[in-house]
Each structure stands twice: as structure tokens, then as C-alpha cells.
Amino acid sequence: MAPAFVQRDRNTVCVMNASCRLGVSLVERLLRRGYTVHAATYDRGESGGSLRRLSGENRRLKLFHADPLDYQTIVDAMKGCAGLFYTFEPPQDQSYDEFLVEVEVRSAHNVLEACAQVATMERAVFTSSVTAVVWKENRKAAADFDEREWSEPNFCRKHKLWHALAKTLAEKTAWALAMDRGVDMVCVNAGLLLVAADLSVATPYLKGAAQMYENGVLVTVDVDFLVDAHVAVYESPSAHGRYLCFNAAVCRPHDAVKLAQMLSHDAAQPASSDGLRVTQQRIQTKKLNQVMVLFDAGRHVEE
């Protein structure tokens, strides 16, 4: 007899924030896998328009508007859902600062509190970041990074690493509430999402990119792999804790130049690799790899 959790693969789930790049891709993938999806958006812009067009083509997609600081709108979007895929991504024209750190932490608190109050909710997949793992005072002396590592909030504040601080504090808040309220939560700590249209040298994740490169922890992930990872840890009955998620490591000067060209949106303009050396990768995805092998093996049955 299959585990009870696996039998929920055709149930109803909520994607929040469904208006960001990851959110839209998750909605599309989940619909293809047969889920009914509550797509909760934080804005009413172009992404909301694309979801409305998609909802006209699929009756299993239901649209909601949610405010990360309005608890009731979050609960309303989750009602009747067995699962939640949650990610916080501010508008592209809004940069990370101390205020946005507080907003992201408050949002995480509201979402996990709502999970505890929605009777049908059985698992939450929380999107965090590799930046919540790799920033600490003695990072060069540390062993290779895995899911047990946490960025140090004081170090992040000292160096104004606001993206890392926000992801670290929001994830810690989520874990504290999940354990206190008995919410089954799994966390995906993603590398830099490689969507060329959304990337620039000002991308908040990349604050301190040179140091990440030197420390062997500058990693990237494409959207399809990131979506697969989210679905895999949701559907796996044995998934637990945190999962580092990336499918490329930037450790060679050639890789760094390619990333720089992508950030500048000018492939014709040469980027210099002067002063760069090959670095040793010091971060691994062994835990996620085990889940993904089983997910890939069963994909032909479920899709």
C-alpha cells in the first residue's frame, strides 16, 4: 500500500507568490501534473494577467490576491489546500534594505501561522536561498557548506547583506513557527535563479558575489530544475528539513565571465577574467540529489 502522502498527488495546493517567475512556472508545472492550484498573487501587474489567461484555459486554476502583511487574505487563499508552495520575491524595482527585511520576516510569520490554522494543510514547501547558508565570519576556515549551515545575522547586518539577512531571518522564523505549531515544512534553499530577463548587476542575491566566487559557493539554478525540486520534496513522503538546490557552480574564470555577460545583457561586450583563479567548489546538493533520483524515476508515471 502506498504511503498516504503519495496519494495526495492530485490534491489541491496553493502557490504564493504566484506572480513571480518561480511562482508562474510552479503553477504551470503543477497543473500539468493534475493538481488543482490556488494561485495567490501579491500584485495585479503583467504576471497576474498571464495567470488570468491561463485560468481561462484550465478550470483547475483559481486566482486569489494576497497581501503578505494581511493574514486573512493569506488564509483565504489557502482554504481547502493540502499543500503550500511559498516564495517571497519583491518587485524588481524594489531593492533590499532593512525595511524589506522586516516585511519578509513578517510575511513568513503570517504564512506559517496560516498553515497552522488551515485544517486541510498537510505540507508547506518554503523557498529560501543559498544566501541563508553561506555568509559567516570565518567562512574560509569552515568545512564545506551543507544544509546544517546558517548565515550569521550579525555578519549580514555588518556588511549590509540585506538579501542574505532577509532570507536567513525569514527562514528561521518559519522553522520556529513550524516546529511550534506542528506544521510539516520542507525548505528549498535555492541558488541564483538564472532567468536572463530578471538578472542584472544589481540583483540582490549577488551582493558579495566576488567573495562567493572566491569561497567556492557562487551557484546558480535554472527555473525548470528549481520547479522540479519543489515538486519533488512536496511529493516525497520522506522529505524533511532543508535542501540546497542548484545545478551549476561558478568556479572557473570562464564561468564567471559568462555570468557577467548575462548580467550586462551584452554578450558581444568582452568581460575580463583578469585576477580570477579557479576555485574549489565548497557546497554540495547530495541531500537533494537523493530525492531527485526517485522523482526522475517516477516522472513518466505521473506526467
Side-chain angles (χ1 to χ4, degrees):
M1 181 177 179
F5 188 79
V6 177
Q7 295 173 355
R8 294 193 282 111
D9 62 355
R10 292 300 179 261
N11 219 316
T12 301
V13 296
C14 177
V15 176
M16 184 184 300
N17 174 17
S19 57
C20 68
R21 185 73 64 171
L22 172 60
V24 172
S25 298
L26 265 170
V27 168
E28 293 173 341
R29 184 68 54 84
L30 290 165
L31 289 172
R32 290 201 301 270
R33 292 181 75 81
Y35 287 92
T36 294
V37 179
H38 290 196
T41 64
Y42 290 168
D43 64 64
R44 304 178 187 273
E46 288 300 316
S47 53
S50 64
L51 288 172
R52 283 191 292 274
R53 288 190 292 274
L54 187 59
S55 70
E57 303 167 1
N58 196 316
R59 286 181 292 180
R60 285 185 285 105
L61 175 59
K62 302 178 181 179
L63 303 184
F64 296 80
H65 176 70
D67 182 334
L69 300 183
D70 186 336
Y71 174 78
Q72 191 57 50
T73 64
I74 296 171
V75 171
D76 290 343
M78 287 188 195
K79 282 181 179 176
C81 293
L84 168 71
F85 296 85
Y86 169 77
T87 184
F88 184 95
E89 185 177 314
Q92 291 185 21
D93 60 352
Q94 187 173 1
S95 60
Y96 267 89
D97 56 17
E98 290 179 279
F99 171 74
L100 194 55
V101 171
E102 294 180 8
V103 171
E104 185 160 346
V105 172
R106 179 68 180 276
S107 176
H109 181 280
N110 287 343
V111 166
L112 265 294
E113 188 66 56
C115 285
Q117 298 302 321
V118 173
T120 54
M121 186 61 61
E122 297 186 32
R123 173 167 286 184
V125 180
F126 187 97
T127 309
S128 186
S129 174
V130 167
T131 63
V133 174
V134 300
W135 287 111
K136 53 179 57 182
E137 195 71 48
N138 297 316
R139 58 194 182 280
K140 290 184 179 181
D144 287 358
F145 290 88
D146 61 21
E147 286 81 1
R148 294 169 295 183
E149 303 290 338
W150 284 91
S151 292
E152 297 172 352
N154 288 340
F155 180 87
C156 294
R157 287 191 184 93
K158 177 181 177 181
H159 296 280
K160 299 184 178 181
L161 297 164
W162 303 125
H163 180 273
L165 181 63
K167 297 304 178 186
T168 302
L169 295 182
E171 188 189 341
K172 282 181 174 287
T173 296
W175 278 119
L177 270 170
M179 289 185 283
D180 184 61
R181 304 289 195 271
V183 176
D184 178 5
M185 188 180 99
V186 182
C187 185
V188 177
N189 293 79
L192 174 67
L193 183 58
L194 283 187
V195 178
D198 296 343
L199 289 176
S200 74
V201 292
T203 299
Y205 182 106
L206 289 168
K207 178 75 179 291
Q211 290 85 353
M212 284 192 279
Y213 178 86
E214 286 296 319
N215 295 328
V217 296
L218 181 56
V219 292
T220 66
V221 63
D222 65 65
V223 69
D224 288 336
F225 185 83
L226 184 56
V227 168
D228 279 351
H230 279 74
V231 178
V233 299
Y234 176 74
E235 294 184 352
S236 170
S238 60
H240 65 282
R242 308 168 88 197
Y243 289 85
L244 286 166
C245 180
F246 57 90
N247 56 355
V250 182
C251 294
R252 300 176 301 170
H254 174 71
D255 300 326
V257 168
K258 285 178 61 177
L259 179 59
Q261 289 174 333
M262 182 180 294
L263 296 174
S264 69
H265 301 283
D266 187 359
Q269 181 176 344
S272 174
S273 62
D274 293 348
L276 293 179
R277 59 180 179 84
V278 176
T279 59
Q280 181 179 353
Q281 181 178 333
R282 297 179 56 224
I283 187 169
Q284 304 294 334
T285 59
K286 293 178 181 179
K287 186 180 177 185
L288 178 63
N289 292 345
Q290 296 172 351
V291 176
M292 295 301 290
V293 167
L294 297 175
F295 178 73
D296 290 339
R299 180 178 300 176
H300 66 284
V301 176
E302 300 183 64
E303 289 193 333

PDB file of all heavy atoms in Angstrom, residues 7-15 30 34-39 60-62 64 77-85 118 120-123 234:
ATOM      1  N   GLN A   7      -0.576   9.571  -1.976  1.00  0.00           N
ATOM      2  CA  GLN A   7      -1.934   9.551  -2.515  1.00  0.00           C
ATOM      3  C   GLN A   7      -2.522  10.953  -2.668  1.00  0.00           C
ATOM      4  O   GLN A   7      -3.585  11.107  -3.258  1.00  0.00           O
ATOM      5  CB  GLN A   7      -2.826   8.699  -1.609  1.00  0.00           C
ATOM      6  CG  GLN A   7      -2.421   7.224  -1.601  1.00  0.00           C
ATOM      7  CD  GLN A   7      -3.199   6.417  -0.592  1.00  0.00           C
ATOM      8  OE1 GLN A   7      -3.993   6.953   0.193  1.00  0.00           O
ATOM      9  NE2 GLN A   7      -2.979   5.110  -0.583  1.00  0.00           N
ATOM     10  N   ARG A   8      -1.838  11.977  -2.189  1.00  0.00           N
ATOM     11  CA  ARG A   8      -2.345  13.341  -2.315  1.00  0.00           C
ATOM     12  C   ARG A   8      -1.840  14.034  -3.576  1.00  0.00           C
ATOM     13  O   ARG A   8      -1.962  15.223  -3.730  1.00  0.00           O
ATOM     14  CB  ARG A   8      -1.914  14.168  -1.091  1.00  0.00           C
ATOM     15  CG  ARG A   8      -2.539  13.688   0.182  1.00  0.00           C
ATOM     16  CD  ARG A   8      -2.367  14.701   1.300  1.00  0.00           C
ATOM     17  NE  ARG A   8      -1.016  14.645   1.857  1.00  0.00           N
ATOM     18  CZ  ARG A   8      -0.128  15.594   1.707  1.00  0.00           C
ATOM     19  NH1 ARG A   8      -0.406  16.654   0.990  1.00  0.00           N
ATOM     20  NH2 ARG A   8       1.058  15.500   2.258  1.00  0.00           N
ATOM     21  N   ASP A   9      -1.261  13.279  -4.520  1.00  0.00           N
ATOM     22  CA  ASP A   9      -0.637  13.931  -5.662  1.00  0.00           C
ATOM     23  C   ASP A   9      -1.623  14.538  -6.638  1.00  0.00           C
ATOM     24  O   ASP A   9      -1.217  15.188  -7.583  1.00  0.00           O
ATOM     25  CB  ASP A   9       0.313  12.952  -6.394  1.00  0.00           C
ATOM     26  CG  ASP A   9      -0.429  11.747  -6.960  1.00  0.00           C
ATOM     27  OD1 ASP A   9      -1.639  11.623  -6.713  1.00  0.00           O
ATOM     28  OD2 ASP A   9       0.217  10.932  -7.626  1.00  0.00           O
ATOM     29  N   ARG A  10      -2.901  14.349  -6.452  1.00  0.00           N
ATOM     30  CA  ARG A  10      -3.901  15.007  -7.291  1.00  0.00           C
ATOM     31  C   ARG A  10      -4.781  15.922  -6.442  1.00  0.00           C
ATOM     32  O   ARG A  10      -5.937  16.159  -6.764  1.00  0.00           O
ATOM     33  CB  ARG A  10      -4.760  13.960  -8.022  1.00  0.00           C
ATOM     34  CG  ARG A  10      -3.980  13.164  -9.069  1.00  0.00           C
ATOM     35  CD  ARG A  10      -3.411  14.070 -10.144  1.00  0.00           C
ATOM     36  NE  ARG A  10      -2.640  13.344 -11.137  1.00  0.00           N
ATOM     37  CZ  ARG A  10      -1.318  13.246 -11.142  1.00  0.00           C
ATOM     38  NH1 ARG A  10      -0.616  13.831 -10.190  1.00  0.00           N
ATOM     39  NH2 ARG A  10      -0.694  12.584 -12.091  1.00  0.00           N
ATOM     40  N   ASN A  11      -4.217  16.416  -5.368  1.00  0.00           N
ATOM     41  CA  ASN A  11      -4.986  17.242  -4.452  1.00  0.00           C
ATOM     42  C   ASN A  11      -4.858  18.714  -4.818  1.00  0.00           C
ATOM     43  O   ASN A  11      -4.321  19.077  -5.860  1.00  0.00           O
ATOM     44  CB  ASN A  11      -4.516  16.993  -3.014  1.00  0.00           C
ATOM     45  CG  ASN A  11      -5.655  16.975  -2.029  1.00  0.00           C
ATOM     46  OD1 ASN A  11      -6.538  17.817  -2.086  1.00  0.00           O
ATOM     47  ND2 ASN A  11      -5.633  16.011  -1.115  1.00  0.00           N
ATOM     48  N   THR A  12      -5.358  19.543  -3.926  1.00  0.00           N
ATOM     49  CA  THR A  12      -5.366  20.988  -4.153  1.00  0.00           C
ATOM     50  C   THR A  12      -4.218  21.638  -3.391  1.00  0.00           C
ATOM     51  O   THR A  12      -4.016  21.382  -2.208  1.00  0.00           O
ATOM     52  CB  THR A  12      -6.708  21.584  -3.684  1.00  0.00           C
ATOM     53  OG1 THR A  12      -7.771  20.965  -4.400  1.00  0.00           O
ATOM     54  CG2 THR A  12      -6.746  23.085  -3.937  1.00  0.00           C
ATOM     55  N   VAL A  13      -3.462  22.493  -4.087  1.00  0.00           N
ATOM     56  CA  VAL A  13      -2.321  23.163  -3.472  1.00  0.00           C
ATOM     57  C   VAL A  13      -2.401  24.658  -3.760  1.00  0.00           C
ATOM     58  O   VAL A  13      -3.067  25.095  -4.700  1.00  0.00           O
ATOM     59  CB  VAL A  13      -0.986  22.604  -3.999  1.00  0.00           C
ATOM     60  CG1 VAL A  13      -0.825  21.139  -3.617  1.00  0.00           C
ATOM     61  CG2 VAL A  13      -0.865  22.782  -5.499  1.00  0.00           C
ATOM     62  N   CYS A  14      -1.701  25.419  -2.939  1.00  0.00           N
ATOM     63  CA  CYS A  14      -1.638  26.862  -3.103  1.00  0.00           C
ATOM     64  C   CYS A  14      -0.206  27.256  -3.476  1.00  0.00           C
ATOM     65  O   CYS A  14       0.752  26.740  -2.891  1.00  0.00           O
ATOM     66  CB  CYS A  14      -2.045  27.561  -1.801  1.00  0.00           C
ATOM     67  SG  CYS A  14      -1.927  29.377  -1.847  1.00  0.00           S
ATOM     68  N   VAL A  15      -0.070  28.147  -4.455  1.00  0.00           N
ATOM     69  CA  VAL A  15       1.222  28.717  -4.818  1.00  0.00           C
ATOM     70  C   VAL A  15       1.198  30.203  -4.466  1.00  0.00           C
ATOM     71  O   VAL A  15       0.334  30.947  -4.920  1.00  0.00           O
ATOM     72  CB  VAL A  15       1.535  28.538  -6.317  1.00  0.00           C
ATOM     73  CG1 VAL A  15       2.847  29.239  -6.675  1.00  0.00           C
ATOM     74  CG2 VAL A  15       1.605  27.061  -6.679  1.00  0.00           C
ATOM     75  N   LEU A  30       2.476  22.333 -11.903  1.00  0.00           N
ATOM     76  CA  LEU A  30       1.509  21.631 -11.054  1.00  0.00           C
ATOM     77  C   LEU A  30       0.220  21.321 -11.813  1.00  0.00           C
ATOM     78  O   LEU A  30      -0.364  20.246 -11.638  1.00  0.00           O
ATOM     79  CB  LEU A  30       1.222  22.470  -9.809  1.00  0.00           C
ATOM     80  CG  LEU A  30       2.378  22.574  -8.811  1.00  0.00           C
ATOM     81  CD1 LEU A  30       2.134  23.708  -7.819  1.00  0.00           C
ATOM     82  CD2 LEU A  30       2.582  21.248  -8.066  1.00  0.00           C
ATOM     83  N   GLY A  34      -1.653  17.520 -12.771  1.00  0.00           N
ATOM     84  CA  GLY A  34      -3.003  17.157 -12.370  1.00  0.00           C
ATOM     85  C   GLY A  34      -3.511  17.812 -11.103  1.00  0.00           C
ATOM     86  O   GLY A  34      -4.624  17.503 -10.652  1.00  0.00           O
ATOM     87  N   TYR A  35      -2.755  18.716 -10.524  1.00  0.00           N
ATOM     88  CA  TYR A  35      -3.206  19.388  -9.303  1.00  0.00           C
ATOM     89  C   TYR A  35      -4.245  20.453  -9.622  1.00  0.00           C
ATOM     90  O   TYR A  35      -4.251  21.037 -10.703  1.00  0.00           O
ATOM     91  CB  TYR A  35      -2.027  20.071  -8.602  1.00  0.00           C
ATOM     92  CG  TYR A  35      -1.059  19.139  -7.920  1.00  0.00           C
ATOM     93  CD1 TYR A  35       0.058  18.661  -8.599  1.00  0.00           C
ATOM     94  CD2 TYR A  35      -1.242  18.753  -6.595  1.00  0.00           C
ATOM     95  CE1 TYR A  35       0.967  17.814  -7.971  1.00  0.00           C
ATOM     96  CE2 TYR A  35      -0.340  17.915  -5.963  1.00  0.00           C
ATOM     97  CZ  TYR A  35       0.759  17.443  -6.660  1.00  0.00           C
ATOM     98  OH  TYR A  35       1.655  16.604  -6.043  1.00  0.00           O
ATOM     99  N   THR A  36      -5.098  20.727  -8.642  1.00  0.00           N
ATOM    100  CA  THR A  36      -5.886  21.952  -8.626  1.00  0.00           C
ATOM    101  C   THR A  36      -5.067  22.988  -7.872  1.00  0.00           C
ATOM    102  O   THR A  36      -4.540  22.698  -6.788  1.00  0.00           O
ATOM    103  CB  THR A  36      -7.234  21.732  -7.920  1.00  0.00           C
ATOM    104  OG1 THR A  36      -8.016  20.816  -8.690  1.00  0.00           O
ATOM    105  CG2 THR A  36      -7.996  23.046  -7.761  1.00  0.00           C
ATOM    106  N   VAL A  37      -4.918  24.190  -8.451  1.00  0.00           N
ATOM    107  CA  VAL A  37      -3.982  25.171  -7.911  1.00  0.00           C
ATOM    108  C   VAL A  37      -4.693  26.459  -7.532  1.00  0.00           C
ATOM    109  O   VAL A  37      -5.426  27.040  -8.343  1.00  0.00           O
ATOM    110  CB  VAL A  37      -2.863  25.490  -8.935  1.00  0.00           C
ATOM    111  CG1 VAL A  37      -1.900  26.528  -8.367  1.00  0.00           C
ATOM    112  CG2 VAL A  37      -2.109  24.219  -9.316  1.00  0.00           C
ATOM    113  N   HIS A  38      -4.477  26.897  -6.296  1.00  0.00           N
ATOM    114  CA  HIS A  38      -4.854  28.236  -5.864  1.00  0.00           C
ATOM    115  C   HIS A  38      -3.631  29.123  -6.075  1.00  0.00           C
ATOM    116  O   HIS A  38      -2.626  28.980  -5.358  1.00  0.00           O
ATOM    117  CB  HIS A  38      -5.252  28.251  -4.393  1.00  0.00           C
ATOM    118  CG  HIS A  38      -6.547  27.569  -4.088  1.00  0.00           C
ATOM    119  ND1 HIS A  38      -7.215  27.757  -2.898  1.00  0.00           N
ATOM    120  CD2 HIS A  38      -7.303  26.715  -4.816  1.00  0.00           C
ATOM    121  CE1 HIS A  38      -8.324  27.030  -2.900  1.00  0.00           C
ATOM    122  NE2 HIS A  38      -8.386  26.383  -4.058  1.00  0.00           N
ATOM    123  N   ALA A  39      -3.697  29.998  -7.050  1.00  0.00           N
ATOM    124  CA  ALA A  39      -2.566  30.878  -7.356  1.00  0.00           C
ATOM    125  C   ALA A  39      -2.792  32.212  -6.670  1.00  0.00           C
ATOM    126  O   ALA A  39      -3.661  32.997  -7.075  1.00  0.00           O
ATOM    127  CB  ALA A  39      -2.419  31.061  -8.864  1.00  0.00           C
ATOM    128  N   ARG A  60      -8.935  24.091 -13.348  1.00  0.00           N
ATOM    129  CA  ARG A  60      -8.314  23.700 -12.078  1.00  0.00           C
ATOM    130  C   ARG A  60      -7.440  24.800 -11.490  1.00  0.00           C
ATOM    131  O   ARG A  60      -6.814  24.605 -10.453  1.00  0.00           O
ATOM    132  CB  ARG A  60      -7.502  22.416 -12.270  1.00  0.00           C
ATOM    133  CG  ARG A  60      -8.361  21.169 -12.400  1.00  0.00           C
ATOM    134  CD  ARG A  60      -7.534  19.888 -12.472  1.00  0.00           C
ATOM    135  NE  ARG A  60      -6.898  19.750 -13.782  1.00  0.00           N
ATOM    136  CZ  ARG A  60      -5.633  19.951 -14.027  1.00  0.00           C
ATOM    137  NH1 ARG A  60      -4.819  20.337 -13.046  1.00  0.00           N
ATOM    138  NH2 ARG A  60      -5.129  19.798 -15.233  1.00  0.00           N
ATOM    139  N   LEU A  61      -7.393  25.946 -12.148  1.00  0.00           N
ATOM    140  CA  LEU A  61      -6.629  27.078 -11.640  1.00  0.00           C
ATOM    141  C   LEU A  61      -7.581  28.133 -11.096  1.00  0.00           C
ATOM    142  O   LEU A  61      -8.464  28.616 -11.808  1.00  0.00           O
ATOM    143  CB  LEU A  61      -5.761  27.681 -12.743  1.00  0.00           C
ATOM    144  CG  LEU A  61      -4.986  28.965 -12.377  1.00  0.00           C
ATOM    145  CD1 LEU A  61      -4.048  28.717 -11.205  1.00  0.00           C
ATOM    146  CD2 LEU A  61      -4.227  29.482 -13.584  1.00  0.00           C
ATOM    147  N   LYS A  62      -7.389  28.496  -9.829  1.00  0.00           N
ATOM    148  CA  LYS A  62      -8.203  29.517  -9.173  1.00  0.00           C
ATOM    149  C   LYS A  62      -7.287  30.641  -8.698  1.00  0.00           C
ATOM    150  O   LYS A  62      -6.257  30.389  -8.074  1.00  0.00           O
ATOM    151  CB  LYS A  62      -8.975  28.917  -7.994  1.00  0.00           C
ATOM    152  CG  LYS A  62      -9.890  27.761  -8.404  1.00  0.00           C
ATOM    153  CD  LYS A  62     -10.606  27.156  -7.213  1.00  0.00           C
ATOM    154  CE  LYS A  62     -11.495  25.998  -7.649  1.00  0.00           C
ATOM    155  NZ  LYS A  62     -12.197  25.381  -6.488  1.00  0.00           N
ATOM    156  N   PHE A  64      -6.276  34.160  -6.661  1.00  0.00           N
ATOM    157  CA  PHE A  64      -6.508  34.913  -5.436  1.00  0.00           C
ATOM    158  C   PHE A  64      -5.513  36.066  -5.388  1.00  0.00           C
ATOM    159  O   PHE A  64      -4.396  35.956  -5.896  1.00  0.00           O
ATOM    160  CB  PHE A  64      -6.309  34.036  -4.189  1.00  0.00           C
ATOM    161  CG  PHE A  64      -7.262  32.901  -4.058  1.00  0.00           C
ATOM    162  CD1 PHE A  64      -7.082  31.722  -4.776  1.00  0.00           C
ATOM    163  CD2 PHE A  64      -8.360  33.002  -3.217  1.00  0.00           C
ATOM    164  CE1 PHE A  64      -7.964  30.662  -4.651  1.00  0.00           C
ATOM    165  CE2 PHE A  64      -9.261  31.952  -3.083  1.00  0.00           C
ATOM    166  CZ  PHE A  64      -9.058  30.775  -3.803  1.00  0.00           C
ATOM    167  N   ALA A  77      -6.696  32.375   0.670  1.00  0.00           N
ATOM    168  CA  ALA A  77      -6.087  31.713  -0.495  1.00  0.00           C
ATOM    169  C   ALA A  77      -5.778  30.249  -0.211  1.00  0.00           C
ATOM    170  O   ALA A  77      -5.810  29.409  -1.115  1.00  0.00           O
ATOM    171  CB  ALA A  77      -4.820  32.454  -0.909  1.00  0.00           C
ATOM    172  N   MET A  78      -5.471  29.919   1.040  1.00  0.00           N
ATOM    173  CA  MET A  78      -5.072  28.559   1.398  1.00  0.00           C
ATOM    174  C   MET A  78      -6.242  27.632   1.700  1.00  0.00           C
ATOM    175  O   MET A  78      -6.054  26.407   1.726  1.00  0.00           O
ATOM    176  CB  MET A  78      -4.179  28.603   2.642  1.00  0.00           C
ATOM    177  CG  MET A  78      -2.797  29.124   2.429  1.00  0.00           C
ATOM    178  SD  MET A  78      -1.858  28.854   3.967  1.00  0.00           S
ATOM    179  CE  MET A  78      -0.460  29.907   3.667  1.00  0.00           C
ATOM    180  N   LYS A  79      -7.415  28.159   1.939  1.00  0.00           N
ATOM    181  CA  LYS A  79      -8.544  27.329   2.372  1.00  0.00           C
ATOM    182  C   LYS A  79      -8.790  26.186   1.385  1.00  0.00           C
ATOM    183  O   LYS A  79      -8.856  26.387   0.189  1.00  0.00           O
ATOM    184  CB  LYS A  79      -9.801  28.186   2.496  1.00  0.00           C
ATOM    185  CG  LYS A  79      -9.842  29.024   3.768  1.00  0.00           C
ATOM    186  CD  LYS A  79     -11.129  29.832   3.859  1.00  0.00           C
ATOM    187  CE  LYS A  79     -11.159  30.650   5.149  1.00  0.00           C
ATOM    188  NZ  LYS A  79     -12.368  31.526   5.227  1.00  0.00           N
ATOM    189  N   GLY A  80      -8.901  24.985   1.931  1.00  0.00           N
ATOM    190  CA  GLY A  80      -9.157  23.810   1.113  1.00  0.00           C
ATOM    191  C   GLY A  80      -7.914  23.185   0.514  1.00  0.00           C
ATOM    192  O   GLY A  80      -8.010  22.169  -0.184  1.00  0.00           O
ATOM    193  N   CYS A  81      -6.723  23.756   0.783  1.00  0.00           N
ATOM    194  CA  CYS A  81      -5.482  23.250   0.188  1.00  0.00           C
ATOM    195  C   CYS A  81      -4.782  22.268   1.121  1.00  0.00           C
ATOM    196  O   CYS A  81      -4.755  22.455   2.332  1.00  0.00           O
ATOM    197  CB  CYS A  81      -4.537  24.405  -0.131  1.00  0.00           C
ATOM    198  SG  CYS A  81      -5.137  25.492  -1.444  1.00  0.00           S
ATOM    199  N   ALA A  82      -4.197  21.246   0.519  1.00  0.00           N
ATOM    200  CA  ALA A  82      -3.412  20.275   1.283  1.00  0.00           C
ATOM    201  C   ALA A  82      -1.936  20.636   1.299  1.00  0.00           C
ATOM    202  O   ALA A  82      -1.173  20.124   2.115  1.00  0.00           O
ATOM    203  CB  ALA A  82      -3.599  18.876   0.698  1.00  0.00           C
ATOM    204  N   GLY A  83      -1.523  21.508   0.372  1.00  0.00           N
ATOM    205  CA  GLY A  83      -0.117  21.871   0.303  1.00  0.00           C
ATOM    206  C   GLY A  83       0.063  23.328  -0.051  1.00  0.00           C
ATOM    207  O   GLY A  83      -0.815  23.958  -0.658  1.00  0.00           O
ATOM    208  N   LEU A  84       1.222  23.857   0.335  1.00  0.00           N
ATOM    209  CA  LEU A  84       1.568  25.244   0.013  1.00  0.00           C
ATOM    210  C   LEU A  84       2.976  25.286  -0.562  1.00  0.00           C
ATOM    211  O   LEU A  84       3.895  24.646  -0.037  1.00  0.00           O
ATOM    212  CB  LEU A  84       1.518  26.118   1.268  1.00  0.00           C
ATOM    213  CG  LEU A  84       2.141  27.522   1.129  1.00  0.00           C
ATOM    214  CD1 LEU A  84       1.251  28.408   0.245  1.00  0.00           C
ATOM    215  CD2 LEU A  84       2.380  28.171   2.484  1.00  0.00           C
ATOM    216  N   PHE A  85       3.150  26.047  -1.638  1.00  0.00           N
ATOM    217  CA  PHE A  85       4.473  26.400  -2.161  1.00  0.00           C
ATOM    218  C   PHE A  85       4.622  27.905  -1.971  1.00  0.00           C
ATOM    219  O   PHE A  85       3.924  28.692  -2.619  1.00  0.00           O
ATOM    220  CB  PHE A  85       4.589  26.038  -3.643  1.00  0.00           C
ATOM    221  CG  PHE A  85       4.495  24.566  -3.921  1.00  0.00           C
ATOM    222  CD1 PHE A  85       3.261  23.952  -4.068  1.00  0.00           C
ATOM    223  CD2 PHE A  85       5.638  23.793  -4.026  1.00  0.00           C
ATOM    224  CE1 PHE A  85       3.170  22.593  -4.327  1.00  0.00           C
ATOM    225  CE2 PHE A  85       5.567  22.431  -4.282  1.00  0.00           C
ATOM    226  CZ  PHE A  85       4.320  21.832  -4.431  1.00  0.00           C
ATOM    227  N   VAL A 118      -5.177  26.447   8.875  1.00  0.00           N
ATOM    228  CA  VAL A 118      -5.974  25.843   7.804  1.00  0.00           C
ATOM    229  C   VAL A 118      -5.990  24.336   8.024  1.00  0.00           C
ATOM    230  O   VAL A 118      -4.949  23.666   7.899  1.00  0.00           O
ATOM    231  CB  VAL A 118      -5.391  26.195   6.424  1.00  0.00           C
ATOM    232  CG1 VAL A 118      -6.108  25.436   5.316  1.00  0.00           C
ATOM    233  CG2 VAL A 118      -5.496  27.698   6.185  1.00  0.00           C
ATOM    234  N   THR A 120      -6.945  21.752   6.440  1.00  0.00           N
ATOM    235  CA  THR A 120      -6.597  20.808   5.378  1.00  0.00           C
ATOM    236  C   THR A 120      -5.117  20.790   5.037  1.00  0.00           C
ATOM    237  O   THR A 120      -4.662  19.912   4.302  1.00  0.00           O
ATOM    238  CB  THR A 120      -7.382  21.153   4.097  1.00  0.00           C
ATOM    239  OG1 THR A 120      -7.137  22.535   3.767  1.00  0.00           O
ATOM    240  CG2 THR A 120      -8.876  20.935   4.291  1.00  0.00           C
ATOM    241  N   MET A 121      -4.369  21.742   5.557  1.00  0.00           N
ATOM    242  CA  MET A 121      -2.960  21.880   5.186  1.00  0.00           C
ATOM    243  C   MET A 121      -2.120  20.748   5.770  1.00  0.00           C
ATOM    244  O   MET A 121      -2.151  20.491   6.973  1.00  0.00           O
ATOM    245  CB  MET A 121      -2.426  23.233   5.659  1.00  0.00           C
ATOM    246  CG  MET A 121      -1.009  23.541   5.201  1.00  0.00           C
ATOM    247  SD  MET A 121      -0.807  23.611   3.408  1.00  0.00           S
ATOM    248  CE  MET A 121      -1.926  24.956   2.996  1.00  0.00           C
ATOM    249  N   GLU A 122      -1.343  20.078   4.906  1.00  0.00           N
ATOM    250  CA  GLU A 122      -0.530  18.952   5.347  1.00  0.00           C
ATOM    251  C   GLU A 122       0.969  19.149   5.133  1.00  0.00           C
ATOM    252  O   GLU A 122       1.776  18.563   5.842  1.00  0.00           O
ATOM    253  CB  GLU A 122      -0.989  17.674   4.645  1.00  0.00           C
ATOM    254  CG  GLU A 122      -2.418  17.290   5.000  1.00  0.00           C
ATOM    255  CD  GLU A 122      -2.819  15.954   4.414  1.00  0.00           C
ATOM    256  OE1 GLU A 122      -1.951  15.067   4.276  1.00  0.00           O
ATOM    257  OE2 GLU A 122      -3.997  15.789   4.089  1.00  0.00           O
ATOM    258  N   ARG A 123       1.356  19.944   4.135  1.00  0.00           N
ATOM    259  CA  ARG A 123       2.795  20.198   3.941  1.00  0.00           C
ATOM    260  C   ARG A 123       3.003  21.556   3.300  1.00  0.00           C
ATOM    261  O   ARG A 123       2.283  21.933   2.377  1.00  0.00           O
ATOM    262  CB  ARG A 123       3.444  19.109   3.082  1.00  0.00           C
ATOM    263  CG  ARG A 123       4.901  19.427   2.711  1.00  0.00           C
ATOM    264  CD  ARG A 123       5.651  18.240   2.145  1.00  0.00           C
ATOM    265  NE  ARG A 123       5.983  17.281   3.198  1.00  0.00           N
ATOM    266  CZ  ARG A 123       6.707  16.172   2.994  1.00  0.00           C
ATOM    267  NH1 ARG A 123       7.148  15.887   1.780  1.00  0.00           N
ATOM    268  NH2 ARG A 123       6.981  15.363   3.990  1.00  0.00           N
ATOM    269  N   TYR A 234       7.860  18.084  -2.221  1.00  0.00           N
ATOM    270  CA  TYR A 234       6.459  18.064  -1.790  1.00  0.00           C
ATOM    271  C   TYR A 234       5.895  16.649  -1.870  1.00  0.00           C
ATOM    272  O   TYR A 234       5.203  16.182  -0.956  1.00  0.00           O
ATOM    273  CB  TYR A 234       5.607  19.007  -2.645  1.00  0.00           C
ATOM    274  CG  TYR A 234       4.142  18.927  -2.295  1.00  0.00           C
ATOM    275  CD1 TYR A 234       3.656  19.485  -1.120  1.00  0.00           C
ATOM    276  CD2 TYR A 234       3.231  18.264  -3.122  1.00  0.00           C
ATOM    277  CE1 TYR A 234       2.321  19.390  -0.767  1.00  0.00           C
ATOM    278  CE2 TYR A 234       1.897  18.169  -2.788  1.00  0.00           C
ATOM    279  CZ  TYR A 234       1.438  18.733  -1.607  1.00  0.00           C
ATOM    280  OH  TYR A 234       0.112  18.620  -1.264  1.00  0.00           O
TER     281      TYR A 234
END
